[in-house]
Amino acid sequence: MDLLTGFKIFIEKEQLFAPDQSLLLAVSGGLDSVVMAHLFKAAGFRFAIAHCNFQLREAESVRDESFVKTLADVLQVPFHHIRFDTLTYTESKRVSIQVAARELRYEWLEETRTKAGYSFIVTAHHMQDSVETLLMNLSKGTGISGLHGILPAQGKIIRPLLFAQKEDLLAYAQENGISYVEDSSNLTTKYTRNFFRHKVIPVMQEANPGTVPNIAASIARFREAEVLYQQALEKHVRRLVEQKGNMYMVPVLKLQKTIPMQTVAWEIFRKYGCTPPQLPQVLELLDSTSGKIVETATHRIIRDRQWLLITPLVETEAAVIVIEKDRSVVATANGILRLRTVVRKEQTPIPASAAIACLDKASLQYPLLLRRWRQGDYFYPLGMRKKKKLSRFFIDQKLSVPQKENIWVLESSKRVVWIVGLRIDDRFKVTQHTKDQLTIEWEAL
Amino acid sequence: MDLLTGFKIFIEKEQLFAPDQSLLLAVSGGLDSVVMAHLFKAAGFRFAIAHCNFQLREAESVRDESFVKTLADVLQVPFHHIRFDTLTYTESKRVSIQVAARELRYEWLEETRTKAGYSFIVTAHHMQDSVETLLMNLSKGTGISGLHGILPAQGKIIRPLLFAQKEDLLAYAQENGISYVEDSSNLTTKYTRNFFRHKVIPVMQEANPGTVPNIAASIARFREAEVLYQQALEKHVRRLVEQKGNMYMVPVLKLQKTIPMQTVAWEIFRKYGCTPPQLPQVLELLDSTSGKIVETATHRIIRDRQWLLITPLVETEAAVIVIEKDRSVVATANGILRLRTVVRKEQTPIPASAAIACLDKASLQYPLLLRRWRQGDYFYPLGMRKKKKLSRFFIDQKLSVPQKENIWVLESSKRVVWIVGLRIDDRFKVTQHTKDQLTIEWEAL
């Protein structure tokens, strides 16, 4: 099959774009991108050419820029170009030249695409590039997502040459008398990539000349395997993760029995800031006692009886946790609330601890809200007929500023029910008429 | 962590064997297997040593054998050994020396294991071996199953050194003054494996010194990913493949809508002899007309209206297809039966074609059987009061021997109902009393 036919078939098979869409081709002037531009012309697609001059190779950079401009003229398509002060960017952002070039390039391409109304940015990655990516990921260590190589479509970037081998592009250029410039350095590829390109892959090809197309065919299969992986994973996550407000609950026993446990646990906890080296600590919670905590960058994972509770590390001031009627546990950044309803028996004493609130359930209106206290909040302290400002109450209690910051208030239809861990409101206390008693325990972490 | 501790932890984690089980260690005399034997001794496990002398390296082979015998004496464990005439085997079986050695070795090890009552055969494959396997599979092209490297347990073979790197084994030997023999050739590894060991992996390590442990860690994840893959796959197969007797039916529309289609289709059809190059042909059936067929090595895959029917290529003489009352299609190696029940209307004519049987459903007893005709079979040919031997009927019909071999007989409680495609039995014909008529069409393939 000739290159142009393969190109059209690949675009259709992967549904990269529609024939009426206009595209922005990133063209460096090298073999891959120049052949790509010619293929787009030959196929009759609508496109423009974009070129970045990173001003890192002096005369060579200027030569490339004017080469690509001429190419755009010859192909009679719009030409977009820019010159970057890459070195200054590198210094100010403290990143490597490779990272700088990459960031500058994609930012400008996306800006140009949006402004001029192109549907997609098109890059000239081919089969070898994708195989290099897979092998690099492998040598660094990877999960299944590292096996899909370079994707044909990702957001607004498409790569219609992934079906083609470097040699095919070279042959096409020769057959069609297409000239291109030789890059003395390839800015957008790191050293490691060049090493895999020039050292690793050639040795593998010595063992098996079909290495590149064989790995490319495997990549196509891995992409589908990843879909199956995700399907099975989603089922496990639905089964294992229960959301309660801004908290997530994972049942310990169910997770322990899950097959495959490690991977499913990883895929669950990574979403809450868990890193690979932290995973063993999180899994230790499965065998530990209630109260043990692992902190990730963003969340607390708390062993609480038969559950792992996942709760955000920092509650924003605006954070409001909604507590529905059936809720039995609420985890916050600094403590856990446990709720249970019991039928009130007159002889049962009311615990003296301020950490336990005994409330007349009939006096409450659901959903309850758990929120930070605010200036202007007031309540009727238990045993008093007169309302009191919370700010005043806190002074009487001699709370420090950080203590005050950590105070939670339980609210029922805009009325304060409980200053959590300190005092309940008189209007919600248990009386001789109480039938259902809501007991809430506060366990500070 | 020292090697012995890592060894014990790995055995427990992978549940390779129980402490009271006795094991048969395959020991060549090289570093890996000798260190393994010492680890088993140090851990206090029960084991014996087995050594194969392939008699391919003359004096060296004899040296290795006596070295391993001495090792068994020193470790005070039973010693099993054998000498193979590997070259003769190679010639008589026409296989390579590598294949010969492998076959001879595992056959003899398994025999020894069974006879002497060992629980498992133990081989000394380590982390590098597994990484080599993965990279070799990749360069040849593979699906997800090629990514699990060498498995820690497979049938009666276990590999408790897969957690360890070659260097760890070497260090252990040096620290503990363990001597071993140097193999001038490693018989059980192919040229390709040695090439990956000595050429490919060292280059990858140049790019990333952690390549081997990184790939090994990935392998552990891929093994779990494969489990998720299988879970999702099984769900698709259950949804897509319907068994009817010895035939399987796949609904075309459902398969076309399946995501990911290619992989799920491959995993379904490979079980019925489909090879990778045949898959595109099978998938073409999804867009083709009724009657198109793809033959695999073992099965026929037939496009039949909204279904793909999968039926064994060769029906054994003993093959009997059971037809339950609700069955509407039956596929055989040489044709398809379609069954439908209609309420008999007197004016409806009975088709003249011998390929269509119109039967009085009330006269039939389910399940019906479809089978090859047998010597001694007889029936009452339509329109006759006298029974006739099938052998006689075939002579009258002037059937050739191969034609006779392909004849199917439909049977209802041991009575012949229809000589398929030729003549129905008079006892089952439609009469004026028939209410439900069973119409069966025979479509030869």
Side-chain angles (χ1 to χ4, degrees):
Chain A
M1 192 193 303
D2 71 274
L3 190 70
L4 183 59
T5 310
F7 171 72
K8 289 181 193 165
I9 289 177
F10 184 73
I11 289 167
E12 207 184 306
K13 197 186 118 221
E14 297 286 341
Q15 305 186 323
L16 295 184
F17 59 89
D20 62 331
Q21 287 180 312
S22 182
L23 309 154
L24 184 62
L25 273 57
V27 177
S28 68
L31 170 70
D32 310 342
S33 57
V34 170
V35 167
M36 180 171 76
H38 280 276
L39 286 170
F40 269 85
K41 189 71 188 178
F45 295 132
R46 287 171 57 205
F47 68 100
I49 283 177
H51 178 80
C52 301
N53 182 346
F54 296 102
Q55 303 193 97
L56 290 166
R57 290 170 296 136
E58 303 182 0
E60 204 177 293
S61 292
V62 177
R63 175 204 67 180
D64 293 357
E65 185 186 295
S66 81
F67 176 87
V68 178
K69 186 185 177 339
T70 310
L71 177 67
D73 288 347
V74 170
L75 297 179
Q76 296 177 288
V77 296
F79 179 60
H80 303 269
H81 72 292
I82 194 168
R83 292 182 180 186
F84 293 120
D85 188 353
T86 312
L87 286 180
T88 308
Y89 184 92
T90 302
E91 280 153 26
S92 70
K93 290 264 189 160
R94 295 184 185 194
V95 291
S96 68
I97 290 184
Q98 285 78 14
V99 171
R102 193 189 155 77
E103 285 181 9
L104 288 166
R105 180 173 183 243
Y106 278 108
E107 202 180 286
W108 174 72
L109 285 170
E110 176 55 21
E111 205 182 285
T112 309
R113 185 193 71 78
T114 318
K115 270 192 200 157
Y118 300 109
S119 298
F120 294 101
I121 295 161
V122 189
T123 67
H125 293 97
H126 51 67
M127 194 187 280
Q128 255 96 337
D129 295 320
S130 189
V131 169
E132 284 158 24
T133 299
L134 178 139
L135 289 172
M136 283 165 61
N137 286 344
L138 258 186
S139 78
K140 284 186 295 184
T142 180
I144 191 165
S145 64
L147 297 177
H148 62 219
I150 297 174
L151 293 173
Q154 216 172 10
K156 288 297 173 190
I157 302 169
I158 57 174
R159 289 123 179 171
L161 292 196
L162 279 176
F163 76 100
Q165 292 202 60
K166 184 96 185 167
E167 301 87 75
D168 303 332
L169 303 179
L170 196 60
Y172 188 86
Q174 282 165 348
E175 280 162 28
N176 295 275
I178 295 169
S179 59
Y180 51 90
V181 293
E182 298 276 2
D183 241 332
S184 69
S185 77
N186 193 340
L187 268 174
T188 59
T189 59
K190 292 187 197 164
Y191 172 68
T192 337
R193 180 175 289 279
N194 275 332
F195 190 89
F196 272 83
R197 180 172 303 167
H198 300 306
K199 298 271 189 178
V200 178
I201 292 180
V203 194
M204 289 181 80
Q205 278 171 322
E206 238 181 280
N208 192 330
T211 293
V212 170
N214 290 348
I215 296 184
S218 304
I219 284 173
R221 287 190 284 274
F222 297 152
R223 278 171 60 198
E224 294 214 343
E226 201 184 345
V227 174
L228 287 169
Y229 173 95
Q230 287 295 346
Q231 289 173 352
L233 185 68
E234 272 162 33
K235 258 195 86 181
H236 285 292
V237 172
R238 267 201 304 277
R239 198 171 57 82
L240 288 168
V241 183
E242 204 178 318
Q243 184 170 6
K244 291 280 185 190
N246 65 343
M247 180 181 83
Y248 297 87
M249 301 172 72
V250 178
V252 170
L253 210 66
K254 255 193 192 171
L255 179 57
Q256 280 173 323
K257 284 186 183 165
T258 296
I259 295 173
M261 198 271 278
Q262 294 261 348
T263 298
V264 171
W266 162 246
E267 294 280 4
I268 288 174
F269 294 111
R270 66 187 291 195
K271 287 188 194 146
Y272 307 108
C274 180
T275 59
Q278 266 183 329
L279 186 65
Q281 296 169 41
V282 173
L283 293 182
E284 268 175 35
L285 292 179
L286 296 175
D287 298 315
S288 72
T289 52
S290 242
K292 293 269 179 203
I293 294 172
V294 174
E295 256 183 34
T296 73
T298 58
H299 285 74
R300 267 209 182 103
I301 303 167
I302 307 154
R303 171 67 190 246
D304 185 58
R305 306 189 184 182
Q306 285 315 304
W307 299 85
L308 295 186
L309 309 182
I310 308 167
T311 172
L313 208 51
V314 181
E315 240 107 23
T316 57
E317 268 187 59
V320 173
I321 301 174
V322 177
I323 304 175
E324 300 289 349
K325 209 163 191 167
D326 62 341
R327 189 83 172 262
S328 62
V329 181
V330 177
T332 73
N334 60 326
I336 296 177
L337 286 181
R338 284 178 217 295
L339 302 90
R340 64 175 193 279
T341 301
V342 290
V343 176
R344 173 81 196 145
K345 287 183 189 123
E346 242 171 295
Q347 61 273 38
T348 316
I350 303 288
S353 165
I356 303 174
C358 293
L359 307 168
D360 181 359
K361 197 161 185 178
S363 68
L364 298 168
Q365 241 182 306
Y366 282 92
L368 305 177
L369 299 182
L370 188 71
R371 60 165 177 84
R372 293 302 189 190
W373 81 280
R374 297 173 197 140
Q375 285 294 345
D377 274 347
Y378 64 87
F379 80 134
Y380 293 81
L382 180 65
M384 289 175 68
R385 295 274 151 170
K386 238 178 74 189
K387 71 180 177 185
K388 187 168 199 166
K389 282 211 169 171
L390 264 61
S391 51
R392 187 70 236 164
F393 176 75
F394 293 152
I395 292 168
D396 297 348
Q397 295 278 319
K398 299 191 174 65
L399 294 193
S400 66
V401 173
Q403 278 176 321
K404 280 197 284 184
E405 275 174 3
N406 277 325
I407 290 294
W408 288 103
V409 161
L410 186 70
E411 185 185 296
S412 164
S413 71
K414 304 198 187 254
R415 296 180 301 168
V416 169
V417 173
W418 185 24
I419 302 172
V420 175
L422 292 177
R423 188 76 59 88
I424 68 164
D425 184 291
D426 201 72
R427 295 167 290 180
F428 302 95
K429 72 179 176 205
V430 166
T431 68
Q432 61 195 44
H433 307 297
T434 298
K435 280 181 185 156
D436 284 344
Q437 172 183 322
L438 176 68
T439 308
I440 315 181
E441 279 183 64
W442 167 249
E443 200 178 312
L445 290 175
Chain B
M1 192 192 304
D2 70 276
L3 191 70
L4 183 59
T5 310
F7 172 70
K8 289 180 193 167
I9 288 176
F10 185 72
I11 288 167
E12 208 184 303
K13 198 186 115 218
E14 296 286 341
Q15 306 186 322
L16 295 185
F17 58 90
D20 62 332
Q21 287 181 311
S22 181
L23 308 155
L24 183 63
L25 273 58
V27 177
S28 69
L31 169 69
D32 310 342
S33 57
V34 169
V35 167
M36 179 171 76
H38 280 275
L39 286 170
F40 269 84
K41 190 70 187 179
F45 294 132
R46 288 171 56 205
F47 67 101
I49 282 177
H51 178 80
C52 302
N53 180 344
F54 296 101
Q55 304 193 97
L56 289 166
R57 289 168 300 136
E58 303 181 1
E60 205 178 292
S61 292
V62 176
R63 175 203 68 178
D64 293 358
E65 185 187 295
S66 80
F67 176 87
V68 178
K69 188 187 178 333
T70 310
L71 177 67
D73 289 345
V74 170
L75 298 179
Q76 296 177 288
V77 297
F79 180 60
H80 302 269
H81 72 292
I82 193 168
R83 292 184 179 185
F84 294 119
D85 188 352
T86 313
L87 286 180
T88 306
Y89 183 92
T90 302
E91 280 153 25
S92 71
K93 290 265 190 156
R94 295 184 185 191
V95 292
S96 69
I97 289 183
Q98 285 79 12
V99 171
R102 193 190 155 78
E103 286 182 6
L104 288 167
R105 181 173 184 242
Y106 278 109
E107 202 179 285
W108 175 72
L109 286 171
E110 177 57 19
E111 206 181 285
T112 310
R113 187 193 70 78
T114 319
K115 269 192 199 156
Y118 300 108
S119 298
F120 294 101
I121 295 161
V122 189
T123 67
H125 292 98
H126 52 69
M127 196 187 278
Q128 256 95 340
D129 295 321
S130 189
V131 169
E132 283 158 25
T133 300
L134 177 139
L135 289 172
M136 282 164 61
N137 286 344
L138 259 185
S139 78
K140 284 186 295 185
T142 181
I144 190 166
S145 64
L147 297 177
H148 61 219
I150 296 175
L151 292 173
Q154 217 173 12
K156 290 296 174 189
I157 303 170
I158 59 174
R159 289 124 179 170
L161 293 196
L162 280 177
F163 77 99
Q165 291 202 60
K166 184 96 186 169
E167 301 87 72
D168 303 331
L169 303 179
L170 196 60
Y172 188 84
Q174 283 165 348
E175 280 161 28
N176 295 276
I178 294 170
S179 60
Y180 51 90
V181 293
E182 298 276 2
D183 242 332
S184 68
S185 77
N186 192 340
L187 269 174
T188 59
T189 58
K190 292 188 198 162
Y191 172 69
T192 338
R193 179 176 291 280
N194 276 331
F195 190 89
F196 273 82
R197 180 172 304 167
H198 302 304
K199 297 273 189 177
V200 178
I201 292 180
V203 194
M204 289 181 80
Q205 278 171 323
E206 240 182 279
N208 191 330
T211 293
V212 170
N214 290 348
I215 295 184
S218 304
I219 283 174
R221 287 190 283 274
F222 297 153
R223 276 170 62 198
E224 294 215 341
E226 199 184 345
V227 173
L228 287 168
Y229 173 95
Q230 287 296 344
Q231 289 171 353
L233 186 66
E234 272 162 34
K235 258 195 83 183
H236 284 294
V237 172
R238 269 201 303 277
R239 197 172 56 83
L240 288 168
V241 183
E242 202 178 319
Q243 184 172 7
K244 290 280 185 189
N246 64 345
M247 179 180 85
Y248 298 87
M249 300 171 73
V250 178
V252 169
L253 211 65
K254 256 194 191 171
L255 179 57
Q256 279 172 325
K257 283 185 183 166
T258 297
I259 296 173
M261 198 272 278
Q262 293 261 349
T263 298
V264 171
W266 162 245
E267 295 279 4
I268 288 174
F269 294 113
R270 66 187 291 194
K271 288 188 193 146
Y272 307 108
C274 181
T275 59
Q278 266 182 330
L279 186 65
Q281 295 168 41
V282 173
L283 294 181
E284 268 176 35
L285 292 178
L286 296 175
D287 299 314
S288 73
T289 53
S290 242
K292 292 270 178 200
I293 295 172
V294 174
E295 257 183 35
T296 74
T298 58
H299 285 75
R300 269 212 181 99
I301 303 167
I302 308 155
R303 170 67 192 248
D304 184 58
R305 305 187 185 183
Q306 283 318 303
W307 300 84
L308 296 186
L309 309 181
I310 308 168
T311 172
L313 209 50
V314 180
E315 239 105 25
T316 57
E317 267 187 60
V320 172
I321 301 174
V322 176
I323 304 175
E324 301 288 352
K325 211 163 188 168
D326 62 340
R327 189 84 173 262
S328 62
V329 179
V330 178
T332 73
N334 60 325
I336 296 177
L337 286 181
R338 286 179 215 293
L339 303 90
R340 63 176 193 279
T341 301
V342 290
V343 176
R344 173 82 196 143
K345 287 183 190 124
E346 241 170 296
Q347 62 274 34
T348 317
I350 303 288
S353 165
I356 303 175
C358 293
L359 306 169
D360 181 358
K361 196 160 187 180
S363 68
L364 298 168
Q365 242 182 305
Y366 282 91
L368 305 177
L369 299 181
L370 189 70
R371 60 167 177 82
R372 292 304 189 190
W373 80 280
R374 297 172 196 139
Q375 283 295 344
D377 273 347
Y378 64 87
F379 80 134
Y380 292 81
L382 180 65
M384 288 175 68
R385 296 273 150 168
K386 238 177 71 186
K387 70 180 177 187
K388 187 166 198 167
K389 283 210 166 170
L390 264 60
S391 52
R392 186 71 237 164
F393 176 74
F394 292 153
I395 292 169
D396 296 350
Q397 295 278 319
K398 300 195 171 65
L399 294 193
S400 66
V401 173
Q403 279 176 321
K404 279 197 285 185
E405 275 172 4
N406 277 324
I407 290 294
W408 288 103
V409 161
L410 186 69
E411 187 185 292
S412 164
S413 69
K414 303 198 187 256
R415 297 181 301 169
V416 168
V417 174
W418 186 23
I419 302 171
V420 174
L422 291 178
R423 186 77 59 90
I424 68 165
D425 185 293
D426 201 72
R427 293 167 292 179
F428 302 95
K429 72 178 175 206
V430 166
T431 69
Q432 61 196 44
H433 306 297
T434 300
K435 277 180 186 157
D436 284 344
Q437 172 184 323
L438 176 68
T439 307
I440 315 180
E441 278 183 67
W442 168 248
E443 199 176 312
L445 290 175

